[in-house]
Amino acid sequence: MIAGPEAYRLQFFLENGFTRKQCKICKRHFWTLDPEQELCGDSPCVPYSFINRPPTKRSFTIKEMREAFLSFFEKRGHARVRRYPVVARWRDDIFLTIASIACFQPHVTSGEVPPPSNPLTISQPCIRMNDLDNVGKTGGRHLTIFEMMAHHAFSSKEREIYWKEDTVSFHHEFLTKDLGIPGEEITYIEHWWEGGGDAGPDLEGIVRGLELSTLVFMQYRKINGSYRELPLRIVDTGYGLERFTWISQGTPTGFEAIYGRLFDDFLKVSGIERPDQRVLAEVTKFAGMMNIVDEGSIKAARERVASVLGMDPATLDSQLKSFETLMAILDHTKTIAFMLGDGIVPSNVQAGYLARLMIRRVKRMMDYARISQPLSELLAMQVRYWGDQFPELAENLEYIVKVADLEVARYIRTIDQGKSLVLRIIKDPEIRRRGTLPLNQLVQLYDSHGLPPEIVKAISEPHGIKVDIPDTFDTIVAELHSSAQPPKKEAEDILQGLPPLPPTELVYYSEPKTKRIEAKVLYSDRTRVILDRTIFYPEGGGQLNDTGYLLLGGQEVKVLNVQKSRGIVVHFVEEITPIKEGALVECLVDWDRRVALMRHHSSTHILLGAARRVLGNHVWQEGAQKSVDKSRLDISHFEKISPSQLKEIEVLANKIVQECRPIRAYFVDRNKAEERFGMRLYQGGVVQGPTIRVVEIEDWDAEACGGVHCSNTGEIGLIKIIRSERIQDGIERIEFVSGEQAIRFIQSEESALQEISKILNTPAERVDKAAAKLMEDLSASKRQIERLRKMLASRLSEDLYLKAENIGETKLIKGVLDGLSDEDLIPIASQIVERDREALALLVSRTDGSVVAMAGEGAVGRGLSAGKITEALTRSMGGRGGGRSDVGQGKVPLESLDRFEQSIQSIKNIIEGLNKSKSQ
């Protein structure tokens, strides 16, 4: 959809002398105060003209520009809203916050939830990974992390905040009066915007070739290719903080303006030299004129710059490459610092995958630029630089540094382990035939095994397999993981075939300690009963449903399952004659089951708070299951939880239990809850609606939660952690029991201890010492057995060797031995081939049918394979076996041992055939 001219014909433009024109190059329409202007003013139609001649009345730092913007809009009735995390935990369709409006999609933009303030202003750190490979090559035009300064207004039919006229007026006033940019330098280009499913006309604010801002008038929702009116008209603006700062300073690259002294610090630690300022200025100007940024356009731009400067293009390119790499490293290390600082744990899935991709990309760039400092040191420099503006980064510095070191170490191990994998893959006949490794294989090697394309290329090409690495390789990989999978299809509709019914009154919320109530039947069939109110909790949020009984005139109907859909609670019962509509039934919940579920659910919240305090702020709930007998909590963490940490978590959790802290569950306005508790609310995933139910443990934990809970922590009684395990990369599972189940578990452990105590004939308090003594004795016994086995092997090998049969150059030593296992046969065969390098030892156990074959170095050198000999022998005797050229193992049925000598003849034939082929 393209908006017509009327969508942009504003009174502000007409009353202030603006003229609508069409660019002679790109053909886009724009508004300008300059009657002579023929071009739109945007690159690549015009070059950057602000470098070394900024249009603002003074230069601004990042911090100063941010404050100037936010203060400007605060003075004009906008509430300042604190930034959201860069990981979009409130969304189920994206992993990273890609724009300021993403903080309010879809719940606010759909009209479902009111905005936190209206109007509002924000400066939101955003991460976009769709231009990774261009960062550093365009002077500052492309960034991975950037701040989107914005002012948003959400107008409804009932309340108009402001729309196009005021939006453009605010923009123009800020640029002209507060920043001092002459009005005739500002061009407004007409455009159509779409993002996050929303759409509308927009105006792009351009100054001296640089797009500074986008003013979107969001009024449509795009559904299946068609546009529908939104319930709100939304002002969605984006002012690029970094670009505003850059244009105010007019530096040759945006990185100097963004990073200030940190830019110089990175130059110093890297040892990379800064090119001449005139060179940088020309490179940036021409980079701004590239319509498509790829290797070809960059090369063409470099050649034009070299021509202007009278330089050799190759010399220019060599001067720039390391410097451009350093600028990308500056951008990427800031990105990583914010990712980790906001709680992302690197892993192989979702946002964790993107964080790992960034860390490994930077490590490769550092290796290319020969930067010897650890990545963690560069991240620490970023945190110290931005710490006064984002104190939460400084609070998480220890985590950021530790995770970076761990991830780099893992990356190095991955490369070492992956080299053999590449060698196996390039042996594939199809790859050998084509002589190239296809891109999808290259992506898969990185995606599944962490092998960077440069390593794959270095391994493959000496073996004749060509590897072409696209300039945009990391961008391709990132885009594969930048958005969530589409939501799964809903399960079968439990309300299918039912008449329209009112929502069920949820007594389990209003009176959670009620065990029995009377309710009216609204609907019943043979397996489903719907009541006007219920105390039965339906399954949800990782908590199992209640069970119990419906009592009707002396009849007891068992409630097997309870589910909720669209506000209606369905009780699934054992097959019955349908109950008459309007009949009164008594609901009786299985209270022991309910109490166990409540204790386990409340314990989950307590343990999560304890884990966060012991392990760090990065801990986030990744899943949970609360059942009657035991429960589990899955959390994000970068390494295996140690036994001491697990004990500390358990002690801390039980301290909270003993303090009998109140547990309050209440419904509250979503925005008020977010303002008080932040995004930590959404441990259980995305929550819909303007009102959410919060479960708050006093001064410990608060989460959006629909489950049933104890009224205070003391009701739990006891929390006992059973174990922890790593269920996938970046996720630890804690299994635990609470209350009566915890006592039963401890009693079970004590019973097991008492049984062991009896077996060891020692008091329970000395079991550990007795077990240690037993293990010590066992080790001594094993050593003695090994000594005896070697003595036996020496004697038997000597006896068997005396009976050796010469077959050409090979000495065949064979035998069926009584009372020995394969563990005994191996040292016997080993001593035989150590004694004679031409020997083939072929031994069978009469006790269990084990077969061991070994070939000496000389025999192997002549082509004899112990593995193939084993395979042939065992097959002829009805068993199975195989192995390597020097050793083979197998097994044969005991009843086939009388065929051993007959089978040996076939082995002799193999050896003789090998001798003949060698002699020929």
Side-chain angles (χ1 to χ4, degrees):
M1 182 174 179
I2 304 290
E6 290 304 315
Y8 308 98
R9 194 179 300 279
L10 307 183
Q11 285 300 117
F12 174 84
F13 289 149
L14 301 177
E15 292 173 0
N16 287 281
F18 281 82
T19 304
R20 185 174 188 260
K21 295 192 169 190
Q22 186 174 26
C23 180
K24 288 190 173 182
I25 296 177
C26 68
K27 306 304 179 185
R28 292 189 294 172
H29 289 92
F30 62 93
W31 293 83
T32 177
L33 286 170
D34 182 359
E36 304 299 322
Q37 186 173 333
E38 295 184 339
L39 302 179
C40 64
D42 192 13
S43 60
C45 297
V46 301
Y48 293 157
S49 57
F50 64 89
I51 294 175
N52 296 324
R53 49 184 298 266
T56 54
K57 61 186 177 184
R58 72 175 184 88
S59 67
F60 291 79
T61 63
I62 285 280
K63 186 176 181 179
E64 291 169 342
M65 184 62 77
R66 184 193 301 113
E67 185 55 40
F69 176 87
L70 295 174
S71 296
F72 174 88
F73 282 98
E74 272 189 315
K75 291 172 185 174
R76 286 153 184 80
H78 295 65
R80 187 185 298 211
V81 175
R82 66 185 178 186
R83 72 132 176 146
Y84 284 60
V86 297
V87 53
R89 298 191 188 275
W90 60 94
R91 299 279 294 268
D92 59 7
D93 56 339
I94 56 174
F95 300 129
L96 302 174
T97 307
I98 57 175
S100 62
I101 196 63
C103 304
F104 312 108
Q105 289 174 316
H107 51 284
V108 174
T109 56
S110 66
E112 181 185 17
V113 177
S117 295
N118 199 9
L120 61 85
T121 186
I122 188 172
S123 188
Q124 174 62 39
C126 303
I127 296 175
R128 294 182 188 173
M129 300 179 69
N130 57 333
D131 282 313
L132 273 179
D133 300 281
N134 293 331
V135 176
K137 299 174 182 176
T138 56
R141 178 175 157 191
H142 294 94
L143 300 172
T144 309
I145 187 167
F146 59 95
E147 277 188 62
M148 185 177 286
M149 304 186 297
H151 58 100
H152 296 295
F154 306 85
S155 296
S156 63
K157 292 178 181 177
E158 295 77 25
R159 185 186 177 208
E160 177 79 13
I161 306 301
Y162 62 81
W163 193 227
K164 299 177 183 178
E165 298 289 350
D166 287 336
T167 301
V168 178
S169 177
F170 284 145
H171 177 273
H172 207 72
E173 183 183 358
F174 178 64
L175 267 65
T176 56
K177 293 185 178 179
D178 283 50
L179 302 185
I181 299 174
E184 59 273 15
E185 297 247 26
I186 305 169
T187 303
Y188 293 91
I189 299 177
E190 297 175 3
H191 188 251
W192 179 262
W193 179 92
E194 294 185 7
D198 299 319
D202 76 274
L203 291 163
E204 297 175 346
I206 314 295
V207 176
R208 295 191 182 179
L210 185 65
E211 180 187 338
L212 293 176
S213 49
T214 304
L215 314 176
V216 179
F217 306 105
M218 191 188 296
Q219 58 192 115
Y220 300 104
R221 183 73 180 169
K222 190 174 182 180
I223 302 175
N224 297 325
S226 61
Y227 296 87
R228 299 180 187 176
E229 289 274 353
L230 285 168
L232 301 175
R233 292 194 305 167
I234 302 166
V235 172
D236 170 24
T237 64
Y239 293 60
L241 171 60
E242 290 78 9
R243 291 190 177 198
F244 271 88
T245 304
W246 184 16
I247 204 169
S248 81
Q249 295 186 25
T251 50
T253 75
F255 293 91
E256 294 154 300
I258 297 165
Y259 292 98
R261 59 176 173 77
L262 185 62
F263 188 97
D264 295 326
D265 292 343
F266 266 55
L267 281 172
K268 189 180 298 181
V269 299
S270 68
I272 294 172
E273 293 184 7
R274 186 200 304 260
D276 182 86
Q277 294 291 86
R278 181 166 170 258
V279 171
L280 287 179
E282 290 299 323
V283 168
T284 300
K285 285 177 186 177
F286 279 100
M289 296 188 70
M290 288 189 290
N291 194 23
I292 298 174
V293 182
D294 57 21
E295 189 172 0
S297 58
I298 290 173
K299 183 180 179 182
R302 294 284 160 80
E303 289 173 352
R304 292 174 65 188
V305 172
S307 177
V308 169
L309 297 174
M311 294 180 65
D312 174 54
T315 303
L316 175 64
D317 194 58
S318 65
Q319 285 184 16
L320 291 173
K321 275 198 171 178
S322 292
F323 186 73
E324 289 173 342
T325 300
L326 182 70
M327 289 192 288
I329 291 172
L330 259 172
D331 167 271
H332 291 357
T333 48
K334 182 184 178 184
T335 304
I336 295 167
F338 271 79
M339 282 178 147
L340 301 183
D342 279 0
I344 296 178
V345 175
S347 69
N348 288 331
V349 295
Q350 301 182 353
Y353 180 94
L354 299 176
R356 176 166 287 168
L357 183 147
M358 290 300 298
I359 289 171
R360 294 183 173 186
R361 173 176 167 81
V362 172
K363 179 65 176 74
R364 298 197 328 259
M365 296 174 111
M366 291 174 66
D367 290 344
Y368 167 78
R370 298 181 180 179
I371 298 173
S372 58
Q373 279 74 11
L375 170 60
S376 57
E377 184 177 321
L378 301 187
L379 294 177
M381 292 168 67
Q382 288 279 6
V383 171
R384 286 191 287 269
Y385 183 75
W386 297 105
D388 66 323
Q389 298 170 60
F390 300 95
E392 60 274 19
L393 293 183
E395 291 169 6
N396 294 315
L397 176 59
E398 183 180 353
Y399 165 72
I400 293 169
V401 166
K402 185 171 185 178
V403 168
D405 285 337
L406 282 172
E407 280 297 306
V408 169
R410 285 171 180 158
Y411 176 54
I412 293 169
R413 287 199 302 272
T414 295
I415 292 173
D416 290 341
Q417 293 165 2
K419 290 177 180 177
S420 59
L421 173 65
V422 176
L423 290 173
R424 286 202 305 273
I425 288 173
I426 62 176
K427 288 179 182 177
D428 180 88
E430 179 61 22
I431 291 175
R432 300 299 304 175
R433 185 185 66 79
R434 291 165 56 180
T436 61
L437 194 68
L439 177 60
N440 65 332
Q441 189 84 60
L442 200 59
V443 170
Q444 185 181 1
L445 280 167
Y446 183 85
D447 217 18
S448 302
H449 304 283
L451 288 169
E454 297 86 354
I455 297 295
V456 177
K457 183 182 179 78
I459 297 169
S460 302
E461 294 198 338
H463 294 272
I465 303 299
K466 188 178 179 183
V467 177
D468 292 320
I469 306 173
D471 298 338
T472 57
F473 179 82
D474 281 343
T475 301
I476 291 169
V477 175
E479 288 185 339
L480 291 174
H481 296 267
S482 291
S483 58
Q485 295 297 318
K488 296 178 181 177
K489 292 183 179 178
E490 289 188 8
E492 183 180 349
D493 186 3
I494 62 172
L495 303 180
Q496 188 174 3
L498 270 63
L501 295 168
T504 309
E505 181 187 345
L506 309 179
V507 182
Y508 55 80
Y509 278 161
S510 57
E511 302 174 32
K513 295 296 179 73
T514 299
K515 303 176 184 178
R516 139 185 338 235
I517 62 164
E518 190 175 67
K520 183 169 66 176
V521 176
L522 301 182
Y523 173 86
S524 173
D525 56 26
R526 299 185 69 83
T527 58
R528 294 179 296 182
V529 177
I530 297 175
L531 308 171
D532 65 336
R533 61 186 192 138
T534 187
I535 56 172
F536 288 96
Y537 177 78
E539 183 178 7
Q543 180 174 323
L544 297 180
N545 58 276
D546 284 334
T547 59
Y549 296 92
L550 299 179
L551 307 179
L552 175 65
Q555 181 186 3
E556 218 176 55
V557 178
K558 192 170 186 179
V559 177
L560 306 173
N561 191 7
V562 187
Q563 300 291 327
K564 180 167 167 267
S565 176
R566 303 194 289 279
I568 297 171
V569 177
V570 180
H571 305 77
F572 292 90
V573 298
E574 59 189 359
E575 194 165 320
I576 57 168
T577 301
I579 304 171
K580 185 178 178 181
E581 182 182 336
L584 295 178
V585 297
E586 194 170 6
C587 304
L588 182 63
V589 73
D590 181 340
W591 193 245
D592 288 341
R593 176 185 171 92
R594 163 73 74 81
V595 169
L597 292 171
M598 288 195 303
R599 284 171 170 162
H600 279 138
H601 202 152
S602 297
S603 298
T604 302
H605 289 220
I606 292 172
L607 282 167
L608 181 61
R612 189 180 304 124
R613 286 162 175 82
V614 172
L615 304 176
N617 287 329
H618 61 279
V619 168
W620 201 273
Q621 179 178 311
E622 297 292 345
Q625 179 65 54
K626 305 97 183 177
S627 62
V628 176
D629 297 325
K630 64 180 179 179
S631 289
R632 66 174 187 257
L633 169 66
D634 299 338
I635 60 172
S636 55
H637 190 47
F638 54 87
E639 62 184 353
K640 185 171 177 57
I641 301 174
S642 69
S644 62
Q645 288 172 329
L646 207 61
K647 287 179 182 177
E648 191 177 351
I649 291 169
E650 184 179 80
V651 168
L652 191 53
N654 280 291
K655 181 181 178 184
I656 301 304
V657 170
Q658 293 162 14
E659 290 174 358
C660 296
R661 297 194 185 196
I663 301 176
R664 294 176 56 233
Y666 52 90
F667 288 92
V668 65
D669 175 81
R670 181 193 192 105
N671 289 318
K672 288 182 179 177
E674 288 182 0
E675 184 178 355
R676 182 179 176 193
F677 300 114
M679 294 299 121
R680 286 278 178 198
L681 279 168
Y682 304 122
Q683 295 292 329
V686 179
V687 177
Q688 306 298 330
T691 302
I692 61 175
R693 185 171 181 267
V694 172
V695 174
E696 179 185 358
I697 301 175
E698 187 178 89
D699 298 328
W700 188 254
D701 182 77
E703 300 176 32
C705 178
V708 287
H709 287 266
C710 302
S711 59
N712 69 74
T713 59
E715 292 180 2
I716 295 170
L718 176 68
I719 298 173
K720 178 61 186 172
I721 294 176
I722 300 173
R723 68 178 66 85
S724 71
E725 61 176 330
R726 198 159 188 79
I727 60 169
Q728 72 177 61
D729 191 25
I731 298 180
E732 289 282 300
R733 171 167 290 170
I734 298 174
E735 289 189 17
F736 64 94
V737 284
S738 300
E740 184 179 326
Q741 282 70 20
I743 294 171
R744 292 187 184 281
F745 175 79
I746 292 171
Q747 289 174 337
S748 173
E749 294 286 288
E750 287 177 343
S751 296
L753 180 62
Q754 292 298 329
E755 189 63 29
I756 295 169
S757 173
K758 288 180 183 178
I759 293 170
L760 296 178
N761 193 28
T762 189
E765 61 270 18
R766 292 183 56 83
V767 161
D768 56 338
K769 293 182 174 61
K773 179 68 167 58
L774 181 63
M775 291 303 298
E776 187 179 320
D777 292 345
L778 183 61
S779 296
S781 298
K782 285 182 177 179
R783 289 193 295 271
Q784 179 65 15
I785 290 170
E786 197 58 36
R787 283 195 293 271
L788 293 172
R789 183 174 279 143
K790 286 181 180 178
M791 290 172 62
L792 178 66
S794 177
R795 180 175 296 178
L796 288 176
S797 64
E798 188 172 340
D799 291 345
L800 288 167
Y801 188 78
L802 293 173
K803 302 172 184 177
E805 186 175 344
N806 293 317
I807 306 173
E809 295 180 52
T810 304
K811 280 191 177 178
L812 175 63
I813 296 94
K814 59 181 174 61
V816 179
L817 305 178
D818 292 322
L820 301 178
S821 67
D822 58 345
E823 288 186 343
D824 302 313
L825 299 180
I826 289 171
I828 298 171
S830 180
Q831 288 198 23
I832 289 171
V833 297
E834 284 176 8
R835 177 173 182 169
D836 191 331
R837 61 193 307 273
E838 306 298 338
L840 170 64
L842 194 51
L843 309 177
V844 181
S845 166
R846 197 181 297 277
T847 304
D848 61 8
S850 295
V851 177
V852 172
M854 285 193 187
E857 289 183 9
V860 171
R862 293 196 311 278
L864 195 65
S865 170
K868 290 180 179 179
I869 293 291
T870 305
E871 184 180 0
L873 177 68
T874 54
R875 187 170 59 243
S876 68
M877 296 176 70
R880 295 180 64 183
R884 305 192 309 264
S885 58
D886 59 334
V887 62
Q889 285 183 273
K891 206 127 187 171
V892 295
L894 292 177
E895 58 269 21
S896 69
L897 293 180
D898 57 355
R899 302 205 307 267
F900 177 70
E901 289 298 334
Q902 180 183 342
S903 299
I904 283 293
Q905 187 55 51
S906 65
I907 301 303
K908 292 178 180 178
N909 294 338
I910 292 173
I911 298 171
E912 288 171 351
L914 183 66
N915 291 338
K916 287 180 182 178
S917 65
K918 288 292 181 182
S919 63
Q920 292 173 358

